[in-house]
Amino acid sequence: MTGVEHAGDQFIAGQWVGSTSPDRLPVTNPSTGALIDAVCKGSAEDADAAVAAARAALAEWSGFPVLERIEVLRRTATILEEKVEDLASRITDEVGTPLSLSRDVQVRRPIQVLRALCDAGIRMSWTEQLGNTLVAHEPLGVVVAITPWNFPLHQTLAKVGAALVAGCTVVLKPSEVAPFSSYALADALVEAGLPAGAFNVVTGTGQIVGEQLVTHPGVDGITFTGSTAVGRHIAAAAAGTIKRVALELGGKGPSVVLPGADVAAAAKATAARCFTNSGQVCAALSRLIVPRAELAEAEQALQEFVAAQTVGDPRDPGTTMGPLVSSAHKDLVLSYLEQGVAEGARAVAGDPYRVDDGNFVAPVVFSDVTPEMTIAQEEIFGPVLSVLAYDDVDEAVEIANNSQYGLVGAVWGPDDDGAAEIANRLRVGMVGINGGRINVDAPFGGYRQSGVGREFGTFGIMEFLETKSLNFSGSEAIRRPAGLP
Ligand code: NAD
């Protein structure tokens, strides 16, 4: 699956080829610091070749009837399913996710997302008749997908699956930190019968390969997941050629506990959603907003939750939290802990002064956090939970919405209807009501600086479609393009 097993490690026009650049990028295991392998530090020429291959394959792949495209992707899901153990193990080595969690969230979940996209492709309306007009959806064209490291296969399949169902061809630039599952995906797509050139992988840095792809005149659309800073840059760079851009960016998820809710249960469930993957989750719930009268009960529950965590070797079955992805990222998270203390927050669980060896950071919960503090505003992307107290529900909503982000939120209340009323007032793209989980058929994405566009299901596929009105001279549209479900 790594470059060692292929003739080269750029996948272009259905072939594993070398880069035009001799440079390599090391990929290291964040748990041990050991070198796993190295991948091509791709060149602008590699990116150009991949775009040309995707452009050349567009007529063939978009000409496949939708049902046949979906069949290829269903076979891909089956092939990937046979590799759960291998993929989970490799992603644990790259990212540090505890192995048992990797099997579920790093591998099985993305396969579920891919299958849901296949079902959505069958369910959705590819045409609509409006009087004398047939409204038809057509593939957007050549799509560039740029992904981060924290859930490498998940982010890739959410984008690539949707674009391929839509009939687009794809150039993927995976994160240089966690590139190997994209090789397995390329192999699976080939085995499943995807035509050469419909999917291409170019490894390398954002500065060289990414930049070339997002400014390339032969690219019709970009789908990006990553930091808000890079997303902002990509949107601006893509504006030069007016490409469609979908962005899945950062978050600072609020979790609002309403009076009368089971505060201990809500606090523990929020902490679980904050510390998963050591907090390196865009959809983490990293701000717990509780009634002031129930602050002590929430703190006690969080102390119990933190005490039950085991930070360490992600291959040890007893480990609940692995390392952070790199020493640079660890330093950043530690700097937020320092800042939390300096700005007057009170550590109520975990030790903000503790420095472990390697890339490990144990979870910390700060209470007495106020909305203007850095730890209440910035995405830390580490195991740090901020607890904010409120006096009335309007203030809770105001605190929750006091953010540049708007990806995900949660509301906990004595009944679903009351909680849903508050959920409707949150400026976020997804809200869990009394523990409701993210659904692979429903739109995934954020408001405000958490992004533009949606992934998953029919909404995810629509990101990669153009819309055409065929206006017939008669009073009614009567034709339907062939091959639609
Ligand atoms: P990042 O923004 O540093 O990198 C993401 C990708 O962009 C990488 O492949 C990188 O090589 C590429 N890139 C960097 N500079 C580029 C440029 N100039 N042009 C084109 N591409 C460029 O993010 P990361 O550190 O890999 O991931 C962490 C971030 O991702 C966090 O902020 C997190 O919130 C966000 N994230 C968001 C979601 C979501 O769905 N909203 C999901 C996961 C992660």
Side-chain angles (χ1 to χ4, degrees), residues 58-69:
L58 187 59
E60 183 185 2
W61 179 243
S62 62
F64 270 51
V66 177
L67 291 177
E68 287 182 28
R69 296 203 292 262

Side-chain angles (χ1 to χ4, degrees), residues 361-381:
V361 173
V364 173
V365 178
F366 282 114
S367 192
D368 296 345
V369 176
T370 52
E372 70 288 350
M373 285 185 192
T374 309
I375 57 168
Q377 289 296 331
E378 294 189 13
E379 182 186 50
I380 298 175
F381 228 53

Side-chain angles (χ1 to χ4, degrees), residues 200-422:
N200 306 272
V201 181
V202 183
T203 58
T205 63
Q207 288 69 26
I208 299 172
V209 174
E211 206 68 41
Q212 183 72 5
L213 291 172
V214 299
T215 53
H216 200 296
V219 170
D220 301 291
I222 297 166
T223 171
F224 169 82
T225 296
S227 60
T228 297
V230 174
R232 190 177 291 122
H233 171 81
I234 286 178
T241 41
I242 318 282
K243 297 184 195 332
R244 190 183 300 175
V245 180
L247 304 170
E248 296 291 346
L249 308 174
K252 191 74 191 174
S255 179
V256 178
V257 183
L258 297 175
D262 180 342
V263 66
K268 286 183 179 177
T270 300
R273 287 277 306 277
C274 183
F275 300 145
T276 302
N277 211 24
S278 298
Q280 302 165 122
V281 180
C282 58
L285 295 173
S286 51
R287 292 182 293 151
L288 179 67
I289 301 166
V290 293
R292 198 172 301 280
E294 291 169 57
L295 190 57
E297 194 181 341
E299 289 173 3
Q300 157 108 37
L302 292 168
Q303 281 157 5
E304 288 166 15
F305 188 90
V306 166
Q309 301 308 302
T310 305
V311 182
D313 177 1
R315 290 188 168 274
D316 184 331
T319 294
T320 58
M321 291 171 55
L324 295 179
V325 76
S326 66
S327 62
H329 191 52
K330 176 187 180 180
D331 290 346
L332 182 68
V333 172
L334 292 180
S335 76
Y336 279 113
L337 293 176
E338 262 177 44
Q339 216 158 343
V341 172
E343 291 182 4
R346 180 169 52 95
V348 292
D351 176 1
Y353 298 103
R354 172 174 160 178
V355 179
D356 290 60
D357 289 341
N359 296 332
F360 297 92
V361 173
V364 173
V365 178
F366 282 114
S367 192
D368 296 345
V369 176
T370 52
E372 70 288 350
M373 285 185 192
T374 309
I375 57 168
Q377 289 296 331
E378 294 189 13
E379 182 186 50
I380 298 175
F381 228 53
V384 184
L385 176 64
S386 295
V387 184
L388 299 97
Y390 69 84
D391 293 307
D392 66 64
V393 171
D394 286 344
E395 188 191 359
V397 171
E398 199 179 307
I399 293 171
N401 286 335
N402 182 345
S403 174
Q404 62 170 317
Y405 295 113
L407 184 59
V408 72
V411 181
W412 311 84
D415 62 84
D416 280 358
D417 287 347
E421 254 177 56
I422 300 303

